[in-house]
Each structure stands twice: as C-alpha cells, then as structure tokens.
Amino acid sequence: MQSARKPDPSTIIIFGAGGDLCWRKLMPAIYNLYLDDWVPDNFAVIGLDIKEMSDDEFRQRILDGVNQFSRRGKANESDWNKFASSLNYQKADFTNEETYKKLSDKILSIENPWGKKSNRIFYLAIPPAFIEAITKNLSLSKIAQDDLRDRLVIEKPFGHDLESARELNNVIKNTFDECQIYRIDHYLGKETVQNMIAFRFANALFEPIWNRNFIDHVQITVAEEVGVEHRGSYYDHAGALRDMIQNHILQLLCLTAMEPPVSFSADEVRNKKVDVLRAIRKYTRDDVHRNAVRGQYNNGWMEGQKVISYKEEPGVNSKSNIETFAAVKFYVDNWRWQDVPFYVRTGKRLSQKTSVITIQFRPVPHSAFPNETIENWQPNRLIINIQPEMGIRIRFQAKQPGLKMLMTPVDMVFNYGSAYTAEPPEAYETLLLDVMLGDATLFMRSDQVEAAWELIMPIIEAWESNPPVDFPNYFAGTWGPEAAEALIARDGKNWLVLPMPINNSK
Ligand code: BG6
C-alpha cells in the first residue's frame, strides 16, 4: 500500500535474529528493499538472539540466507559489502534487564550520529512465550517511548485461541498503542492479494454484479504440497484451522466480501474487513458437523516419491488428532451476501500447490439454445489465482468455430508474467516497507484478530470435544478426505477443477 516516498531514518531491531524467519524471509526482503533504493540513507539492523555471534558472523549468516532465498539469487559483492555495514548483532537473553540496557546504548550509538529522529521497529520473530517479557522490558528501559516512531511487529500465531489472543492484546497494549502495533499476516503482502482491492474497487465493471443476485457461490482453496516440514512440534498444537483459516483464508474471504472503502486509510480498510468478519454466521457446536470437515494425511506418493504420514513426521505425536486439512462452509449474513455460500479449504500434502479464489456466477435465467449446442455449458466463473499462477481468468461461453452452433467455455486471461516486465516484490518486502512508512493497512488490528478467533472457536471446541475416529483419512497427494467432497456435494456443487498453472515468467 506504500506511496512513492522513502521512509525516515529507521533502526530495525529483530528479536530472534538467529532464527529461520530472519534468515529466510526478513533479511532477504530487507536486502531487496535496499537494492531497490527503498531503504533510507540512515538505516541499521540490530539482530538479537541467545547465540553468541560477532557482527561479522551474523553478517555471514545473513549473506548465506540472502544467497539462498532472495528472489534475485546470489548477492553481488560490492552491493552486499555496502549493505552489510548496517548490520549489527547483540547476544541477548530476552528476559534479562541487562539486555535492554545494552540495547539502548547500542541504538543510541547508531542513531546519535544521524542527528535526526528515527523510526524504531521492534520485530518479534520469537515464540509467543517471550512477548510479555520483551514488551515490558522495552517499556521499563524506556527504549520505546515515541508513539509516532516506535513500532512493534508481531508474527503469527497471534494467540492459540480467543482467550489467549485477548490476553496477548492486553499485554502488548500496556506498552504500545494500537496504532504502533503491526500484526503480520504475510498473505496480505502478496502482490495478487493486494490486487484484489484494485480489481474490485478500481474497475466499474465488476462491482454491479458482485452480490447475491449474480453470484452463486465462492470457493477459496489454499492447497499445499508440502507436509509439516521441520515444524511438526508447532503444527501439532495448531492444525489447519488455526494455522491457515483463522488468518490467511479469512483475510482472503474479507477481501472478496468487503464493501467498497471510502478511502484507503488503514482504519477504513480494516473497518470494512471487520464488518465482514462480524457478519459471518457464527456456528453453534451442533452446526459444526454440517459445515466443517477435518482431515489428516496418511502416507502416499508425491511426484514419484513415497512420503510419510503426518503421525510419522518429526515432532508430531504418533497418536495426534490434529487436522492437516480443513474445509468450512461460511455464510456472510448481510444484504450483499445473504445465502451465498463461501466454501473454503486448505490442507497439507494435497495434490497441487495452489491458492485460488473462484467466484461462480449464477446460470443464465433462460437458455435459448437447444440442448445439443450446450453440452459443455458452464456458468460464468471468475478465477483469481494468488499463487503459484498469478493472474485472473474469466470463463465464459464461446461459439466453437464451425458450421454448427456448438458452445464451449473459454478463458480470458490476465497473467502477471506476460502483462508486466518487473518482478513482483516478496510479501515481506511490501510489509517491511509499510512498517517503516507507518502504513498499517495490510496489518491485522486487534479487533480483526479477535473477531476471526470468535468465528472459529466453536469449530475448535466441537472438534476438540469430539476426537476424530477416522484419522488419517486422506492419502498424501490427493485432494483431501471424501467428507470434503460430501460437504459441497450436499449443496449440489463441487470443488471446481483448477486450471493448469500458466507460466508466470516472461
Ligand atoms: C504459514 C503457515 O503462515 O503459511 C504455514 O504457518 C504455511 O503452515 C504457510 O505453509 C504458507 O504460506 P505460502 O506463502 O507458502 O502460501
């Protein structure tokens, strides 16, 4: 959502700088911002973690991450050397006051020569258990005192349930004002997700038909081929509902269903999204079995390789009842969407990596064509591909060339790769720049997070009080459990066949 200005002088203080997130995502993103000339002239990163490391060792580790994970590939030596001088490291115990005294001295020694007020961005890339100690100590040590320039960035998971999310909000609000808090949902930084706002509200074409009069139903699929990778011990306490639906998928639903904002101010956009969350029908525990389905992957074959079942993954309890697949039917009870089902599904070890939103329109009210001309007839469909295909397709009927009147569905395609030459930034580049600029539009406000938890709590509670009897219930490499097919088939619909990926490269 950024404008074309560069941020003010900024110091980014990363708690958990020795971890994976910093290595794979944050620092490659900051380095790309630097290469694209978005980083201010007065700029520094201070990494904190429990490990002993010198500045040079930290820089070497970060370089290694950039070389492996940056969208630009290996760093060029002279650019890197200029950038690396702004990286600093401090060994730190996050619960110890001394850490914060040292940190304060370090920040001052960096910022004083700049002679200007600077933004301080405290990035918490750490397990939630440390959040309270860090925010308290930042306040006690008076490092974070400027309401306008000091900002706190928090990664998900934001709480484990509604109660813990509320507690967490209370804890951080003791030190930071809501307008200083940037809760990350990295989906909101994705180029194609931001484009949903442009698509819906910068075009006059779609808005008049974006409602229950024309739309039959909406499907949101966020499918992954990977299993839980090295995150088994986290995932086994989370599951697909908490890991994907409470945040990423509900955000995609909000962007699809929200009313047009009056302006693009952070609060206006977020107000409109909260309105959607509040309008989503709250299920009772009894409603859950009709509207939600869970699954867990068994072993299977993916791309010719045998893969293990969820229960055999490292860090996972061998008797785990945690779901690696979830599908839910939601309703948005308001004037625009009454009775239009929103089917969402997500899972690990599914047959294809794809995130896609499909808007299925209603059939034509009357067909004037004889049956034999419309054998392959399909209602109009708008397919918004978030990843890996990036683009939008509109499916409509066309007359097949020939002497007979025969109709087949065809696609009109907008594809990022062929429409633009510039490579899109990574989600973290967009989000980190927005934090430096003080633009919170793409971040989760406390009421949004809590409203999302409120919605999924009945599902969590119903599932926890009623352990599954059929896990594992889908094989790796398939589209999930049969019950997910039944969920949508009961309404006379089916999960829509996904279009083949198209090449995004130029
Ligand atoms: C994270 C989840 O938030 O999103 C992961 O914790 C998931 O389990 C990841 O794999 C998916 O992100 P992306 O950007 O690869 O779709």
Side-chain angles (χ1 to χ4, degrees):
M1 286 282 156
Q2 59 272 30
S3 58
R5 70 190 164 91
K6 250 187 178 185
D8 289 346
S10 302
T11 308
I12 302 186
I13 298 120
I14 304 177
F15 291 84
D20 236 39
L21 181 73
C22 179
W23 185 55
R24 284 170 189 261
K25 297 281 183 192
L26 302 184
M27 288 312 304
I30 294 174
Y31 184 54
N32 278 322
L33 286 174
Y34 168 78
L35 293 178
D36 288 335
D37 202 23
W38 282 108
V39 163
D41 297 337
N42 295 320
F43 174 77
V45 171
I46 304 176
L48 290 104
D49 216 319
I50 194 76
K51 294 172 205 153
E52 186 77 58
M53 255 193 280
S54 66
D55 284 349
D56 279 343
E57 283 165 337
F58 178 58
R59 289 169 188 162
Q60 189 51 49
R61 177 176 159 80
I62 299 303
L63 174 61
D64 180 54
V66 166
N67 284 340
Q68 287 188 56
F69 304 112
S70 163
R71 65 181 162 87
R72 287 191 162 96
K74 276 198 162 194
N76 153 309
E77 201 177 324
S78 78
D79 286 336
W80 171 259
N81 289 341
K82 276 185 232 148
F83 173 75
S85 60
S86 53
L87 306 184
N88 309 269
Y89 183 78
Q90 178 185 324
K91 174 179 162 29
D93 169 354
F94 303 145
T95 58
N96 185 337
E97 273 175 50
E98 271 306 303
T99 294
Y100 299 84
K101 287 200 188 113
K102 268 177 76 182
L103 176 63
S104 174
D105 292 346
K106 189 151 212 146
I107 295 176
L108 291 176
S109 74
I110 291 171
E111 289 179 352
N112 282 345
W114 295 345
K116 294 179 197 152
K117 285 216 166 245
S118 53
N119 301 323
R120 287 183 189 167
I121 292 152
F122 302 97
Y123 201 115
L124 306 191
I126 39 123
F130 287 113
I131 294 176
E132 184 161 9
I134 294 174
T135 51
K136 247 191 200 156
N137 277 299
L138 286 174
S139 162
L140 289 174
S141 59
K142 304 202 179 357
I143 298 179
Q145 281 197 304
D146 185 335
D147 289 3
L148 283 179
R149 296 189 173 273
D150 295 338
R151 292 161 202 160
L152 183 76
V153 186
I154 301 205
E155 276 289 334
K156 72 178 264 275
F158 197 88
H160 184 69
D161 52 20
L162 178 60
E163 202 186 322
S164 55
R166 281 189 178 139
E167 273 166 23
L168 195 51
N169 275 329
N170 290 337
V171 162
I172 56 181
K173 283 185 189 174
N174 283 332
T175 305
F176 293 90
D177 215 64
E178 180 60 37
C179 65
Q180 297 175 272
I181 304 168
Y182 292 71
R183 296 174 192 80
I184 290 224
D185 180 322
H186 78 279
Y187 264 60
L188 297 181
K190 289 184 191 274
E191 200 63 38
T192 39
V193 174
Q194 292 179 73
N195 186 47
M196 296 232 359
I197 293 206
F199 179 76
R200 286 200 52 204
F201 305 126
N203 295 295
L205 206 55
F206 307 106
E207 193 50 26
I209 54 169
W210 208 259
N211 58 53
R212 64 189 303 277
N213 298 327
F214 296 90
I215 293 177
D216 179 77
H217 72 278
V218 176
Q219 297 189 14
I220 303 178
T221 293
V222 178
E224 296 187 278
E225 284 173 20
V226 290
V228 285
E229 301 176 288
H230 54 284
R231 294 161 73 231
S233 51
Y234 148 75
Y235 197 89
D236 211 32
H237 293 99
L241 260 186
R242 288 184 171 95
D243 189 49
M244 298 295 285
I245 294 193
Q246 189 270 344
N247 35 68
H248 308 323
I249 290 190
L250 282 177
Q251 284 304 306
L252 295 179
L253 195 158
C254 284
L255 286 164
T256 310
M258 69 192 267
E259 294 300 315
V262 174
S263 72
F264 281 103
S265 76
D267 271 335
E268 172 61 4
V269 172
R270 296 188 296 178
N271 287 344
K272 292 291 191 281
K273 290 205 219 159
V274 171
D275 285 347
V276 176
L277 293 172
R278 297 215 171 111
I280 294 180
R281 193 174 299 169
K282 309 240 165 11
Y283 291 135
T284 62
R285 282 199 201 182
D286 288 343
D287 296 329
V288 169
H289 75 278
R290 278 192 306 277
N291 296 296
V293 160
R294 58 187 151 167
Q296 188 190 78
Y297 63 82
N298 203 339
N299 55 24
W301 289 89
M302 302 198 63
E303 290 177 1
Q305 301 280 328
K306 178 102 182 159
V307 298
I308 56 176
S309 70
Y310 175 69
K311 287 187 177 46
E312 294 165 302
E313 297 279 10
V316 169
N317 180 338
S318 58
K319 297 200 171 76
S320 177
N321 280 332
I322 278 293
E323 79 286 354
T324 59
F325 175 99
V328 184
K329 174 165 76 162
F330 288 112
Y331 283 101
V332 181
D333 288 332
N334 64 15
W335 194 283
R336 187 189 287 264
W337 294 113
Q338 194 64 49
D339 296 331
V340 175
F342 285 71
Y343 301 96
V344 309
R345 62 174 170 167
T346 184
K348 298 217 180 262
R349 285 284 186 234
L350 298 184
S351 84
Q352 187 184 338
K353 176 175 171 67
T354 185
S355 299
V356 58
I357 302 172
T358 306
I359 316 286
Q360 172 82 46
F361 288 90
R362 289 187 186 282
V364 289
H366 167 69
S367 170
F369 301 97
N371 282 345
E372 62 274 17
T373 64
I374 52 171
E375 264 175 23
N376 291 322
W377 183 89
Q378 282 180 5
N380 295 131
R381 200 175 280 172
L382 179 81
I383 302 158
I384 302 173
N385 289 293
I386 309 285
Q387 63 183 24
E389 179 182 350
M390 293 170 68
I392 295 177
R393 288 164 179 257
I394 296 178
R395 182 160 296 181
F396 58 98
Q397 314 305 318
K399 179 188 170 303
Q400 261 186 31
L403 297 177
K404 279 201 273 176
M405 182 59 143
L406 264 185
M407 265 165 290
T408 42
V410 291
D411 284 358
M412 213 153 60
V413 180
F414 153 61
N415 170 25
Y416 271 75
S418 46
Y420 301 111
T421 49
E423 193 188 349
E426 291 277 350
Y428 274 98
E429 294 171 41
T430 303
L431 296 173
L432 280 158
L433 179 57
D434 279 1
V435 178
M436 285 195 273
L437 289 169
D439 182 347
T441 313
L442 300 179
F443 296 82
M444 307 281 288
R445 216 169 47 187
S446 59
D447 53 348
Q448 264 178 298
V449 173
E450 290 178 18
W453 276 119
E454 272 170 38
L455 278 174
I456 68 156
M457 281 320 291
I459 309 179
I460 291 179
E461 286 162 2
W463 284 357
E464 281 177 359
S465 64
N466 185 14
V469 288
D470 60 347
F471 275 10
N473 59 356
Y474 69 97
F475 287 103
T478 64
W479 276 109
E482 249 183 63
E485 304 298 330
L487 173 81
I488 193 164
R490 277 201 293 275
D491 298 342
K493 310 181 200 303
N494 58 292
W495 294 106
L496 295 170
V497 181
L498 298 159
M500 290 305 289
I502 50 175
N503 189 4
N504 287 312
S505 57
K506 283 126 252 164

